[in-house]
Amino acid sequence: SKIPAYMASTDKAPAQARNLPWVEKYRPQTLDDLISHKDILSTIQRFISEDKLPHLLFYGPPGTGKTSTILACARQLYKEKEFNSMVLELNASDDRGIGVVRGPILSFASTRTIFKKGFKLVILDEADAMTQDAQNALRRVIEKFTENTRFCMICNYLSKIIPALQSRCTRFRFGPLSPDQMIPRLEYVIQQESIDITPDGMKAIVTLSSGDMRRSLNILQSTSMAYGKVTEETVYTCTGHPLRSDIANILDWSLNKEFTAAYNQILQLKTLKGLALHDILTEIHLLIHRGIRCLEHLFFGLINGMSPLRHRLASGTNEKIQLSSMVAAFQGVRDLVVSEAS
Ligand SMILES: Nc1ncnc2c1ncn2[C@@H]1O[C@H](COP(=O)(O)OP(=O)(O)OP(=O)(O)O)[C@@H](O)[C@H]1O
Ligand SMILES: [Mg+2]
């Protein structure tokens, strides 16, 4: 399952690269290729150049460059032919129990290096999946082999790592990427792949990926493969996200049709396009916040009506029942506004 990172480099394997998912094809190869987290990168660069690399703990949401950063560090530290003997990379697909600590990790750390200078690197990706026992066993291993081995733990949730391990590491938080950081990288890929994209298509990708670079690249690739041109409409359709026109229709039906017709039409659209009620409600919320002036009155009531609905939906109630209460809530507000207006 572990492809050495340098194999993903485009110049080494052009034929293979064409079939690679773009998240791998455009995985940053060096620390300089990484966008964002400049302070983290410069700190790590300094550690490396002063030969004082501590144990590391990277944490933060998905797709923000944690795995890419440590792989780029490793490539900077080791030559290609020493990579396999000096770097042990474990991720969630490997066993995460105490056995892996006593077995592979211990034997890797305790084997003498043939290269006299420098230390070995153990990368524990997705370390939040490690059991408590394994984490406890790791404390001792880290201490015992600090002289010739550095550990880098990577996780999404810091709270899943026991305090004793946290205190042995220098922590770095990888926050979500801002649109300003994502857009230039996306534009680079767009140019490399000669993609036809509209400005609103770009905006849609950035909005839907909320700071997750992996997600943005995946949306870009799947949309352009499925539809050719990347527009707001194709992005939303490709991700199964309701389009603005779908939301407009849903509102229109809810407000202007009688209950059964509104319910059935929404259900049909939902099924046809594979939309989730949760996304519909989120979009309606956004629409409300974008503030369509003339409907301000009406929407204010809807927010109040929908919050308990979203809450109940999140706790896993039947979507059909929830849909019927959504339509009822809409029509209740409509009647209120109509009666007030007349
Ligand atoms: N800071 C970044 N700069 C450039 N590309 C990035 C960055 N972060 C993520 N990417 C892109 O997203 C892909 C996934 O990144 P990476 O595997 O480093 O994320 P991660 O933080 O380890 O996520 P997870 O927590 O899900 O493991 C990379 O291959 C790269 O294409
Ligand atoms: Mg990762």
Side-chain angles (χ1 to χ4, degrees):
S1 70
K2 276 162 273 160
I3 304 166
Y6 46 78
M7 276 179 61
S9 96
T10 43
D11 48 330
K12 291 263 160 49
Q16 200 187 340
R18 241 176 286 133
N19 302 323
L20 277 177
W22 293 351
V23 285
E24 288 311 327
K25 185 170 171 189
Y26 295 100
R27 186 185 283 282
Q29 296 297 300
T30 66
L31 287 174
D32 291 332
D33 291 342
L34 280 147
I35 45 167
S36 83
H37 315 302
K38 290 289 170 221
D39 44 338
I40 299 182
L41 298 177
S42 64
T43 309
I44 294 176
Q45 283 283 21
R46 204 174 58 242
F47 285 147
I48 293 179
S49 63
E50 291 172 8
D51 204 13
K52 281 186 191 143
L53 194 71
H55 300 301
L56 300 168
L57 175 53
F58 294 170
Y59 66 101
T64 51
K66 299 179 296 298
T67 303
S68 308
T69 300
I70 196 60
L71 289 176
C73 282
R75 263 192 304 274
Q76 182 170 334
L77 285 165
Y78 308 106
K79 294 190 198 74
E80 212 174 292
K81 61 175 179 344
E82 52 183 33
F83 206 94
N84 285 336
S85 60
M86 297 297 276
V87 181
L88 176 67
E89 191 196 349
L90 295 166
N91 54 42
S93 57
D94 300 289
D95 178 34
R96 269 20 230 327
I98 194 163
V100 80
V101 179
R102 289 181 179 155
I105 293 178
L106 187 66
S107 66
F108 176 81
S110 59
T111 316
R112 290 229 148 263
T113 57
I114 41 171
F115 308 92
K116 278 192 214 91
K117 217 171 75 76
F119 42 75
K120 300 186 189 187
L121 181 66
V122 178
I123 302 172
L124 289 164
D125 210 343
E126 288 146 76
D128 28 14
M130 290 182 87
T131 62
Q132 292 272 326
D133 281 352
Q135 293 194 32
N136 276 313
L138 193 60
R139 296 158 55 159
R140 271 208 237 109
V141 177
I142 290 185
E143 240 151 42
K144 197 161 170 213
F145 298 101
T146 290
E147 210 172 301
N148 69 333
T149 309
R150 289 295 174 277
F151 288 82
C152 177
M153 280 176 278
I154 305 179
C155 64
N156 292 128
Y157 302 102
L158 188 60
S159 57
K160 300 251 179 79
I161 306 296
I162 60 170
L165 279 186
Q166 288 188 32
S167 78
R168 282 165 172 75
C169 301
T170 305
R171 282 187 273 173
F172 293 98
R173 177 174 181 270
F174 286 66
L177 275 61
S178 70
D180 291 351
Q181 295 168 325
M182 294 173 76
I183 290 170
R185 183 74 179 170
L186 286 168
E187 273 165 354
Y188 170 74
V189 175
I190 287 162
Q191 184 225 322
Q192 291 291 306
E193 302 287 335
S194 333
I195 292 168
D196 192 3
I197 184 168
T198 60
D200 64 0
M202 175 67 109
K203 206 165 154 228
I205 292 180
V206 172
T207 308
L208 288 180
S209 50
S210 43
D212 178 340
M213 194 69 211
R214 181 191 294 114
R215 186 157 156 72
S216 72
L217 289 172
N218 281 334
I219 297 175
L220 182 67
Q221 183 172 22
S222 48
T223 308
S224 73
M225 279 178 157
Y227 300 95
K229 198 174 165 114
V230 181
T231 64
E232 183 182 35
E233 169 143 6
T234 55
V235 167
Y236 276 66
T237 309
C238 187
T239 52
H241 212 82
L243 284 167
R244 252 189 254 169
S245 59
D246 295 329
I247 297 299
N249 280 332
I250 290 171
L251 279 174
D252 179 37
W253 297 331
S254 302
L255 297 170
N256 299 316
K257 299 209 175 217
E258 48 93 22
F259 182 88
T260 321
Y263 175 87
N264 285 332
Q265 275 197 278
I266 299 173
L267 186 64
Q268 204 185 346
L269 179 79
K270 231 177 128 285
T271 315
L272 183 74
K273 297 208 165 185
L275 305 177
L277 190 54
H278 177 266
D279 291 336
I280 295 175
L281 290 171
T282 305
E283 282 302 313
I284 293 174
H285 259 254
L286 285 175
L287 194 66
I288 294 165
H289 290 292
R290 259 182 242 130
I292 298 182
R293 283 270 167 78
C294 60
L295 290 177
E296 224 167 50
H297 255 80
L298 182 64
F299 281 178
F300 190 75
L302 289 179
I303 293 177
N304 292 335
M306 282 188 339
S307 299
L309 252 170
R310 293 191 61 180
H311 184 73
R312 268 179 278 156
L313 194 68
S315 60
T317 8
N318 181 308
E319 285 223 352
K320 286 192 181 173
I321 297 172
Q322 294 303 325
L323 177 58
S324 76
S325 29
M326 180 180 98
V327 175
F330 276 47
Q331 302 206 329
V333 178
R334 175 198 60 190
D335 295 342
L336 201 79
V337 171
V338 170
S339 73
E340 261 184 16
S342 59

